[in-house]
Amino acid sequence: MSRKDEPFVDVEALETATAGLPAPLVTVDLDAFDANAADLTRRAAGRPIRLASKSVRCRSLLRRALDRPGFAGVMAYAVPEAVWLVRQGFTDVFVAYPSVDGEWIRTVTEDEHLRDEVTLTVDSVEHVQFLVDLLGFGSGVRVALDVDCSLRVGRLHLGVRRSPLRTPADALAVTRAALDAGLRVVGLMFYDAQVAGLPDRGPHLRTLKKRSLADLAERRAPLVEAVGALTDLEFVNGGGTGSLGRLAGADGLTELAAGSGLYGPTLFDAYDDFSPRPAMAYALPVVRRPATGVVTAYSGGYVASGEPGWTRVPSPVDRALRLIRSEAAGEVQTPLRGSAADRLAIGDRVWMRGAKAGELLERFDHVHLVRQGRLVETVPSYRGEGQNFG
């Protein structure tokens, strides 16, 4: 999607809702958030969506989504986060990344309620042995297997570097080791990063996605069948915001995953089959005017993780402003050039959109929830609740 086709952000309404609040600040438009949630459930076509907490990082907004029909369970990213969420009343929390945090894993093991609500990830016999060395045999910890969903074309590895577990034989070896060690194997995860995480920019990426989904469809069923013959699987998870609709009818999956689509960051502006509304935006105050046609805003260097490049930097909402390519968004200042610059006074705000979703909230203690030019509520982010999970 080109800049001229970007989704609309009502800056005037945001300014009205947040008048008098100090910037930098971050907002979430509740109408857009709810519309995005409804669209995710529509695309999931009846499959429950496990909510990816790393893409939300705000307890209030996690709860808002999970209170809607169509969302069930949390996909967490750290064991201490999972413990905190369960103690805050959340249930069915799957830590979707392997952990070696012994202290927190023991905390899960030693508490019956936590042990019933938290599922850990393993993807190798080595992981199983780590848990055995840490906890001993027969701990009863719930685990799920993360399956490699990258596409292999000859020697090419197309996708992220996650799990080494790829074939039914791999899965059976890990499952047997886990069961023999007294772990409870309750789930499988298939995350297609090269489909969910890449925009539809050009025929080569569309071809990659189509081929990846076909490869996964062929590999998934025998793997699920093999593991399911050894243990009762409670869930088989797959997908992400970017692939949700393409997997809604996939055989073998019992649930899907999503999170980023609730906020609608810029990385989703170039997908073919869905267009989330930009629910999250943040404001930076103008603090300098270094030249005609240029203003400098305070802070703003909220660059997204992943492959370095211009797709990972934030973007001004106003199309008459643009980042200066030699400086981009900085740790303490962000200069902007364009025809709108001379209309901005010192102290005015520049509204921005992040490239990705939840990690932006690592920079803010509070999220201002707005609707139609009105401040509805100010709620803490994870950081604002004193929770730092990395």
Side-chain angles (χ1 to χ4, degrees), residues 132-385:
V132 170
D133 292 343
L134 179 69
L135 305 173
F137 284 88
S139 65
V141 168
R142 294 165 54 91
V143 298
L145 276 57
D146 181 10
V147 180
D148 175 33
C149 294
S150 63
L151 177 65
R152 306 287 178 84
V153 181
R155 294 185 177 181
L156 287 178
H157 177 108
L158 303 174
V160 296
R161 295 288 185 175
R162 289 169 62 110
S163 170
L165 190 161
R166 188 170 178 84
T167 67
D170 296 335
L172 285 172
V174 178
T175 302
R176 289 191 178 109
L179 294 174
D180 289 346
L183 304 177
R184 299 156 62 190
V185 181
V186 299
L188 294 169
M189 178 173 65
F190 296 83
Y191 176 56
D192 51 296
Q194 72 277 13
V195 181
L198 291 177
D200 296 299
R201 287 196 174 100
H204 60 298
L205 286 178
R206 294 184 178 93
T207 299
L208 166 65
K209 291 186 175 189
K210 184 176 180 180
R211 187 164 177 178
S212 292
L213 289 171
D215 173 68
L216 267 177
E218 182 178 334
R219 292 198 293 116
R220 186 170 49 241
L223 200 149
V224 173
E225 182 179 0
V227 176
L230 296 182
T231 185
D232 292 330
L233 292 171
E234 297 178 16
F235 66 86
V236 180
N237 181 277
T241 292
S243 61
L244 200 72
R246 306 182 196 205
L247 290 170
D251 292 337
L253 297 179
T254 65
E255 63 178 37
L256 302 170
S260 301
L262 293 169
Y263 290 159
T266 62
L267 280 176
F268 291 128
D269 287 352
Y271 281 71
D272 289 340
D273 57 340
F274 71 104
S275 299
R277 290 171 57 178
M280 176 181 281
Y282 66 95
L284 306 175
V286 172
V287 293
R288 296 187 187 192
R289 186 183 307 283
T292 301
V294 180
V295 291
T296 301
Y298 174 71
S299 188
Y302 313 143
V303 178
S305 61
E307 181 182 5
W310 282 95
T311 61
R312 303 287 161 167
V313 300
S315 301
V317 169
D318 189 337
R319 293 191 290 271
L321 291 172
R322 63 186 183 278
L323 296 175
I324 296 175
R325 294 188 70 88
S326 61
E327 194 166 345
E331 181 182 5
V332 292
Q333 69 171 41
T334 296
L336 300 123
R337 185 193 307 276
S339 60
D342 292 336
R343 299 195 298 269
L344 292 168
I346 300 298
D348 285 350
R349 295 151 164 189
V350 175
W351 287 88
M352 309 282 287
R353 292 174 62 207
K356 291 181 73 175
E359 65 186 63
L360 180 65
L361 293 189
E362 293 180 359
R363 305 288 187 146
F364 294 93
D365 288 341
H366 297 93
V367 186
H368 301 291
L369 308 183
V370 302
R371 176 184 284 125
Q372 299 175 11
R374 181 170 61 90
L375 178 63
V376 175
E377 188 180 6
T378 296
V379 298
S381 65
Y382 274 14
R383 189 177 103 158
E385 296 202 67

